[in-house]
Amino acid sequence: MSMKPLEHDRRYGELDQVIRAYLGQTAGDEAEERSAALEAYLRHTWHSRPWALAVAEQQVREYARNPPGRLRLRLGEFYAVPDVGLTDSEIQGWLLSIADHLKHSIETGEVPPPAVPGTHWEWHARFPELGQFLSGWFSQDMPDEFDDHEAAVQDYVDSTAPSLVARLVGELYELLALSLEESDYALAVAELGMEVDPPAPYSPSGWLAVVADRLG
């Protein structure tokens, strides 16, 4: 039988966070250069959960050194590394490279400076409630479910805990504080799950500002 959630998280919880950062990205870490995915993981984790980096280094290195044997594979008691564009024979070296980069960052205190999210994973890690709001209420099904954008916003407010609404307001203002180009705001809301256009006559950032003021 496969592992229960508690055992999975004890062994592989933070390893899973590292690997998820690579979905849709190239696993291109080398001895002297970090991939965009690992850079994003380090940037976000240093500034949100710095204590998790040592756990990540330990779990990644342990998995690389002790890949699952035939019995664990048969029982399903292992972490399945998703497709990151590498062959099975390349996975171990890649994981060890990640562990080395994590160790170097921890020991030297080398912290990536704050920046605009660089990957899909980082957008959702940094703006989790905004991602929930946009993907849950403004998917391509939104016109069939609500009369307009305001009705969707009201439904979110009516069905969401006030503390989470407050968190959304904070994330909206944080995103607006990045002062991006309008095309970059369009990319941001798309990365976060919005599949419909903002209501006329608003641009993406203009509509985000209206929603922030409305909920604030």
Side-chain angles (χ1 to χ4, degrees):
M1 59 182 296
S2 59
M3 282 185 296
K4 294 181 179 179
L6 181 60
E7 182 66 17
H8 174 277
D9 287 350
R10 282 175 173 170
R11 292 187 184 182
Y12 309 125
E14 198 58 31
L15 163 67
D16 185 50
Q17 290 298 311
V18 175
I19 301 303
R20 284 177 182 275
Y22 282 84
L23 296 179
Q25 299 292 313
T26 301
D29 302 282
E30 300 178 358
E32 301 300 326
E33 185 176 357
R34 297 190 295 248
S35 66
L38 186 56
E39 191 77 5
Y41 172 80
L42 281 169
R43 177 168 50 238
H44 178 73
T45 308
W46 262 117
H47 291 280
S48 61
R49 302 180 302 121
W51 58 86
L53 292 165
V55 178
E57 189 273 340
Q58 184 271 328
Q59 290 186 356
V60 171
R61 194 176 300 280
E62 181 66 20
Y63 190 88
R65 288 176 173 172
N66 298 284
R70 284 178 292 178
L71 177 60
R72 286 168 64 195
L73 288 171
R74 182 164 58 86
L75 295 175
E77 295 183 349
F78 69 101
Y79 177 79
V81 177
D83 184 7
V84 291
L86 299 176
T87 64
D88 290 346
S89 62
E90 295 172 318
I91 292 291
Q92 183 180 44
W94 169 63
L95 290 174
L96 289 172
S97 176
I98 291 175
D100 289 342
H101 280 300
L102 290 169
K103 181 180 180 181
H104 175 79
S105 181
I106 295 166
E107 292 183 339
T108 64
E110 183 182 303
V111 183
V116 176
T119 67
H120 180 77
W121 174 88
E122 191 178 8
W123 277 110
H124 283 266
R126 184 166 173 181
F127 300 102
E129 189 59 26
L130 182 54
Q132 179 70 18
F133 172 67
L134 293 177
S135 64
W137 277 263
F138 295 94
S139 70
Q140 61 184 351
D141 297 326
M142 175 258 177
D144 297 326
E145 297 176 355
F146 304 105
D147 292 336
D148 53 25
H149 290 66
E150 174 58 27
V153 172
Q154 187 61 50
D155 185 77
Y156 167 82
V157 173
D158 293 341
S159 59
T160 304
S163 61
L164 294 179
V165 177
R167 183 177 300 173
L168 171 64
V169 173
E171 291 181 12
L172 284 166
Y173 282 123
E174 181 180 351
L175 178 55
L176 292 169
L178 295 177
S179 298
L180 306 178
E181 296 291 336
E182 200 55 55
S183 59
D184 293 324
Y185 276 114
L187 173 63
V189 296
E191 288 281 9
L192 290 166
M194 188 172 184
E195 296 177 336
V196 295
D197 292 331
Y202 296 109
S203 64
S205 67
W207 179 69
L208 293 175
V210 168
V211 174
D213 290 342
R214 155 86 166 77
L215 300 183

